[in-house]
PDB file of all heavy atoms in Angstrom:
ATOM      1  N   LEU T 155      98.160  99.892 -57.516  1.00 95.00           N
ATOM      2  CA  LEU T 155      98.798 101.210 -57.575  1.00 95.00           C
ATOM      3  C   LEU T 155      98.327 102.042 -56.396  1.00 95.00           C
ATOM      4  O   LEU T 155      97.135 102.056 -56.070  1.00 95.00           O
ATOM      5  CB  LEU T 155      98.437 101.952 -58.859  1.00 95.00           C
ATOM      6  CG  LEU T 155      98.964 101.432 -60.190  1.00 95.00           C
ATOM      7  CD1 LEU T 155      98.507 102.361 -61.306  1.00 95.00           C
ATOM      8  CD2 LEU T 155     100.476 101.332 -60.177  1.00 95.00           C
ATOM      9  N   GLU T 156      99.257 102.745 -55.790  1.00 94.00           N
ATOM     10  CA  GLU T 156      98.920 103.766 -54.795  1.00 94.00           C
ATOM     11  C   GLU T 156      98.828 105.079 -55.554  1.00 94.00           C
ATOM     12  O   GLU T 156      99.827 105.591 -56.057  1.00 94.00           O
ATOM     13  CB  GLU T 156     100.000 103.840 -53.726  1.00 94.00           C
ATOM     14  CG  GLU T 156      99.737 104.871 -52.648  1.00 94.00           C
ATOM     15  CD  GLU T 156      98.731 104.409 -51.609  1.00 94.00           C
ATOM     16  OE1 GLU T 156      98.618 103.196 -51.407  1.00 94.00           O
ATOM     17  OE2 GLU T 156      98.067 105.278 -51.011  1.00 94.00           O
ATOM     18  N   ASN T 157      97.609 105.622 -55.666  1.00 94.00           N
ATOM     19  CA  ASN T 157      97.408 106.793 -56.519  1.00 94.00           C
ATOM     20  C   ASN T 157      96.605 107.849 -55.774  1.00 94.00           C
ATOM     21  O   ASN T 157      95.436 107.654 -55.468  1.00 94.00           O
ATOM     22  CB  ASN T 157      96.691 106.368 -57.813  1.00 94.00           C
ATOM     23  CG  ASN T 157      96.430 107.522 -58.757  1.00 94.00           C
ATOM     24  OD1 ASN T 157      95.289 107.887 -58.986  1.00 94.00           O
ATOM     25  ND2 ASN T 157      97.470 108.117 -59.301  1.00 94.00           N
ATOM     26  N   CYS T 158      97.250 108.971 -55.477  1.00 91.00           N
ATOM     27  CA  CYS T 158      96.599 110.075 -54.767  1.00 91.00           C
ATOM     28  C   CYS T 158      95.943 109.605 -53.461  1.00 91.00           C
ATOM     29  O   CYS T 158      94.816 110.002 -53.133  1.00 91.00           O
ATOM     30  CB  CYS T 158      95.561 110.750 -55.649  1.00 91.00           C
ATOM     31  SG  CYS T 158      96.260 111.640 -57.036  1.00 91.00           S
ATOM     32  N   GLY T 159      96.624 108.748 -52.750  1.00 89.00           N
ATOM     33  CA  GLY T 159      96.142 108.308 -51.449  1.00 89.00           C
ATOM     34  C   GLY T 159      95.178 107.146 -51.479  1.00 89.00           C
ATOM     35  O   GLY T 159      94.739 106.671 -50.423  1.00 89.00           O
ATOM     36  N   LEU T 160      94.808 106.660 -52.674  1.00 93.00           N
ATOM     37  CA  LEU T 160      93.903 105.521 -52.783  1.00 93.00           C
ATOM     38  C   LEU T 160      94.611 104.346 -53.454  1.00 93.00           C
ATOM     39  O   LEU T 160      95.325 104.524 -54.445  1.00 93.00           O
ATOM     40  CB  LEU T 160      92.664 105.895 -53.609  1.00 93.00           C
ATOM     41  CG  LEU T 160      91.689 106.903 -52.999  1.00 93.00           C
ATOM     42  CD1 LEU T 160      90.537 107.149 -53.971  1.00 93.00           C
ATOM     43  CD2 LEU T 160      91.149 106.406 -51.669  1.00 93.00           C
ATOM     44  N   LYS T 161      94.412 103.156 -52.907  1.00 95.00           N
ATOM     45  CA  LYS T 161      94.951 101.960 -53.527  1.00 95.00           C
ATOM     46  C   LYS T 161      93.974 101.462 -54.583  1.00 95.00           C
ATOM     47  O   LYS T 161      92.790 101.316 -54.320  1.00 95.00           O
ATOM     48  CB  LYS T 161      95.206 100.879 -52.480  1.00 95.00           C
ATOM     49  CG  LYS T 161      96.394 101.165 -51.582  1.00 95.00           C
ATOM     50  CD  LYS T 161      96.691  99.997 -50.656  1.00 95.00           C
ATOM     51  CE  LYS T 161      97.926 100.277 -49.809  1.00 95.00           C
ATOM     52  NZ  LYS T 161      98.236  99.146 -48.903  1.00 95.00           N
ATOM     53  N   GLN T 162      94.484 101.215 -55.758  1.00 96.00           N
ATOM     54  CA  GLN T 162      93.671 100.739 -56.870  1.00 96.00           C
ATOM     55  C   GLN T 162      94.211  99.372 -57.304  1.00 96.00           C
ATOM     56  O   GLN T 162      95.339  99.264 -57.791  1.00 96.00           O
ATOM     57  CB  GLN T 162      93.724 101.727 -58.031  1.00 96.00           C
ATOM     58  CG  GLN T 162      93.239 103.133 -57.691  1.00 96.00           C
ATOM     59  CD  GLN T 162      91.739 103.181 -57.491  1.00 96.00           C
ATOM     60  OE1 GLN T 162      90.964 103.061 -58.425  1.00 96.00           O
ATOM     61  NE2 GLN T 162      91.324 103.353 -56.236  1.00 96.00           N
ATOM     62  N   ARG T 163      93.383  98.336 -57.132  1.00 97.00           N
ATOM     63  CA  ARG T 163      93.797  96.979 -57.471  1.00 97.00           C
ATOM     64  C   ARG T 163      93.197  96.570 -58.817  1.00 97.00           C
ATOM     65  O   ARG T 163      92.014  96.770 -59.083  1.00 97.00           O
ATOM     66  CB  ARG T 163      93.340  96.003 -56.384  1.00 97.00           C
ATOM     67  CG  ARG T 163      93.590  94.534 -56.744  1.00 97.00           C
ATOM     68  CD  ARG T 163      93.193  93.625 -55.623  1.00 97.00           C
ATOM     69  NE  ARG T 163      93.134  92.238 -56.071  1.00 97.00           N
ATOM     70  CZ  ARG T 163      93.657  91.214 -55.422  1.00 97.00           C
ATOM     71  NH1 ARG T 163      94.285  91.411 -54.281  1.00 97.00           N
ATOM     72  NH2 ARG T 163      93.545  89.984 -55.891  1.00 97.00           N
ATOM     73  N   PHE T 164      94.042  95.975 -59.642  1.00 98.00           N
ATOM     74  CA  PHE T 164      93.626  95.495 -60.955  1.00 98.00           C
ATOM     75  C   PHE T 164      93.891  93.993 -61.034  1.00 98.00           C
ATOM     76  O   PHE T 164      95.027  93.550 -60.904  1.00 98.00           O
ATOM     77  CB  PHE T 164      94.397  96.224 -62.060  1.00 98.00           C
ATOM     78  CG  PHE T 164      94.178  97.712 -62.073  1.00 98.00           C
ATOM     79  CD1 PHE T 164      94.958  98.549 -61.277  1.00 98.00           C
ATOM     80  CD2 PHE T 164      93.197  98.278 -62.876  1.00 98.00           C
ATOM     81  CE1 PHE T 164      94.754  99.920 -61.276  1.00 98.00           C
ATOM     82  CE2 PHE T 164      92.998  99.651 -62.886  1.00 98.00           C
ATOM     83  CZ  PHE T 164      93.768 100.477 -62.085  1.00 98.00           C
ATOM     84  N   ASP T 165      92.840  93.220 -61.259  1.00 97.00           N
ATOM     85  CA  ASP T 165      92.966  91.778 -61.384  1.00 97.00           C
ATOM     86  C   ASP T 165      93.137  91.334 -62.828  1.00 97.00           C
ATOM     87  O   ASP T 165      93.471  90.183 -63.094  1.00 97.00           O
ATOM     88  CB  ASP T 165      91.737  91.091 -60.778  1.00 97.00           C
ATOM     89  CG  ASP T 165      91.644  91.314 -59.272  1.00 97.00           C
ATOM     90  OD1 ASP T 165      92.685  91.194 -58.592  1.00 97.00           O
ATOM     91  OD2 ASP T 165      90.542  91.632 -58.784  1.00 97.00           O
ATOM     92  N   LYS T 166      92.891  92.258 -63.756  1.00 97.00           N
ATOM     93  CA  LYS T 166      93.062  91.999 -65.183  1.00 97.00           C
ATOM     94  C   LYS T 166      93.132  93.348 -65.893  1.00 97.00           C
ATOM     95  O   LYS T 166      92.796  94.389 -65.309  1.00 97.00           O
ATOM     96  CB  LYS T 166      91.896  91.177 -65.727  1.00 97.00           C
ATOM     97  CG  LYS T 166      90.544  91.862 -65.593  1.00 97.00           C
ATOM     98  CD  LYS T 166      89.425  90.987 -66.126  1.00 97.00           C
ATOM     99  CE  LYS T 166      88.075  91.690 -65.978  1.00 97.00           C
ATOM    100  NZ  LYS T 166      86.970  90.853 -66.508  1.00 97.00           N
ATOM    101  N   PRO T 167      93.543  93.379 -67.146  1.00 98.00           N
ATOM    102  CA  PRO T 167      93.583  94.656 -67.865  1.00 98.00           C
ATOM    103  C   PRO T 167      92.188  95.243 -68.012  1.00 98.00           C
ATOM    104  O   PRO T 167      91.251  94.522 -68.359  1.00 98.00           O
ATOM    105  CB  PRO T 167      94.160  94.265 -69.238  1.00 98.00           C
ATOM    106  CG  PRO T 167      94.866  92.977 -69.017  1.00 98.00           C
ATOM    107  CD  PRO T 167      94.090  92.264 -67.949  1.00 98.00           C
ATOM    108  N   PRO T 168      92.003  96.526 -67.732  1.00 98.00           N
ATOM    109  CA  PRO T 168      90.692  97.157 -67.923  1.00 98.00           C
ATOM    110  C   PRO T 168      90.235  97.047 -69.375  1.00 98.00           C
ATOM    111  O   PRO T 168      91.048  97.145 -70.296  1.00 98.00           O
ATOM    112  CB  PRO T 168      90.941  98.621 -67.535  1.00 98.00           C
ATOM    113  CG  PRO T 168      92.143  98.563 -66.639  1.00 98.00           C
ATOM    114  CD  PRO T 168      92.993  97.458 -67.178  1.00 98.00           C
TER     115      PRO T 168
END
Side-chain angles (χ1 to χ4, degrees):
L155 292 182
E156 180 79 27
N157 180 247
C158 292
L160 292 180
K161 288 186 177 180
Q162 301 289 289
R163 173 177 167 134
F164 299 86
D165 295 316
K166 61 181 180 179

